[in-house]
């Protein structure tokens, strides 16, 4: 019984450490992405602002290709999920997993900063709609997937170093569930982005002119 409790506490402690580590990386990546827009020269800021204005104009002119938006969102999200999931199976995937995680949060921080600084007060409304609910769900899914991927990589590395045998069937079944959960989550995110986010932005786009 004592050995079982020690093993359980050890696992909880490891999970907590990885989770806290990823939360710290999240804030570092988000702040870095937010600061980047401020540090850009005026020409680069203008390019980013023009991109946002072009997006708004597309909404105003009703030139929304829902199929293309949904397809692009699904492909990029599912590739990311599969990539992180497969890297978790390898013993050398942790650095790449962390890079992918960092880059996604960094991009999120950059986009929010761009929206706020380009549209000032109105940017707060835009940023809120951009974040809730689809991007928030995406970031939570990314955090869960990254946590389990790193845990599995550490478990495999430890087993190799200590020459321990693992119940791969049990481990793979649990890890497969994480993959399915992540895919369902990003599909929901893509649907929200395509049919909820775009239509809400379409309604408020006139206020950004």
């Amino acid at each position: 019984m004592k050995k079982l409790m020690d093993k359980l506490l050890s696992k909880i402690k490891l999970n907590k450490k990885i989770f806290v580590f990823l939360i710290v990386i999240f804030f570092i990546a988000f702040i870095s992405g937010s600061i980047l827009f401020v540090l850009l020269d005026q020409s680069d800021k203008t390019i980013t602002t023009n991109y946002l204005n072009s997006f708004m104009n597309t909404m105003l002119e009703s030139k929304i290709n829902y199929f293309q938006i949904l397809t692009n969102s699904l492909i990029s999200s599912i590739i990311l999920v599969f990539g992180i999931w497969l890297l978790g199976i390898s013993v050398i995937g942790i650095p790449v997993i962390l890079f992918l995680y960092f880059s996604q949060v960094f991009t999120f921080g950059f986009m929010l900063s761009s929206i706020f600084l380009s549209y000032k007060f109105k940017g707060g409304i835009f940023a809120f709609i951009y974040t809730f609910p689809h991007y928030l769900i995406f970031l939570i899914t990314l955090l869960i997937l990254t946590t389990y991927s790193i845990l599995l990589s550490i478990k495999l590395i430890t087993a190799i170093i200590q020459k321990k045998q693992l119940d791969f069937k049990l481990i793979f079944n649990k890890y497969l569930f994480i993959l399915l959960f992540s895919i369902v989550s990003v599909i929901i995110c893509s649907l929200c982005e395509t049919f909820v986010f775009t239509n809400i932005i379409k309604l408020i786009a006139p206020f950004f002119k």
Side-chain angles (χ1 to χ4, degrees):
M1 184 65 181
K2 186 178 182 304
K3 287 184 178 180
L4 181 62
M5 288 300 297
D6 289 341
K7 186 178 180 180
L8 180 61
L9 289 172
S10 177
K11 188 173 182 180
I12 293 173
K13 188 176 180 180
L14 177 61
N15 291 357
K16 185 178 178 181
K17 284 182 177 180
I18 292 174
F19 186 78
V20 171
F21 174 67
L22 291 177
I23 291 295
V24 171
I25 291 180
F26 181 96
F27 282 108
I28 293 173
F30 181 81
I31 293 171
S32 300
S34 300
I35 292 174
L36 178 61
F37 184 80
V38 179
L39 298 178
L40 292 176
D41 57 39
Q42 192 56 46
S43 61
D44 290 330
K45 287 181 180 179
T46 302
I47 291 172
T48 304
T49 302
N50 288 340
Y51 169 79
L52 292 172
N53 289 334
S54 175
F55 174 76
M56 285 299 181
N57 289 332
T58 301
M59 296 295 106
L60 281 170
E61 296 168 7
S62 299
K63 296 178 180 178
I64 306 173
N65 189 332
Y66 291 105
F67 178 76
Q68 184 178 0
I69 294 173
L70 181 60
T71 302
N72 291 341
S73 179
L74 282 174
I75 290 174
S76 60
S77 298
I78 291 176
I79 287 176
L80 176 67
V81 166
F82 266 111
I84 294 176
W85 188 82
L86 288 173
L87 286 166
I89 300 175
S90 70
V91 294
I92 57 172
I94 293 178
V96 184
I97 292 172
L98 291 175
F99 172 78
L100 292 172
Y101 174 74
F102 183 94
S103 63
Q104 290 297 314
V105 181
F106 181 91
T107 302
F108 174 65
F110 178 78
M111 284 303 299
L112 284 192
S113 177
S114 303
I115 293 169
F116 270 117
L117 296 177
S118 296
Y119 294 113
K120 310 304 178 186
F121 176 74
K122 293 179 182 178
I125 301 172
F126 190 176
F128 180 83
I129 298 169
Y130 177 77
T131 305
F132 295 96
H134 70 281
Y135 218 106
L136 180 63
I137 297 172
F138 172 76
L139 290 173
I140 293 172
T141 302
L142 181 65
L143 176 61
I144 293 171
L145 176 63
T146 302
T147 300
Y148 277 92
S149 297
I150 292 175
L151 277 171
L152 180 57
S153 288
I154 292 173
K155 186 176 290 186
L156 293 174
I157 292 170
T158 303
I160 292 172
I161 293 174
Q162 298 180 356
K163 297 181 179 180
K164 289 183 177 179
Q165 288 188 342
L166 296 175
D167 187 347
F168 283 103
K169 184 177 180 180
L170 178 62
I171 292 172
F172 186 78
N173 286 339
K174 289 182 178 179
Y175 197 49
L176 186 60
F177 173 78
I178 296 299
L179 174 63
L180 295 175
F181 164 80
S182 300
I183 290 175
V184 171
S185 294
V186 296
I187 288 174
I188 292 172
C189 292
S190 295
L191 289 171
C192 287
E193 179 183 3
T194 304
F195 299 106
V196 178
F197 170 71
T198 53
N199 282 294
I200 293 176
I201 290 297
K202 184 179 177 180
L203 290 174
I204 68 170
F207 297 100
F208 288 82
K209 295 299 291 179

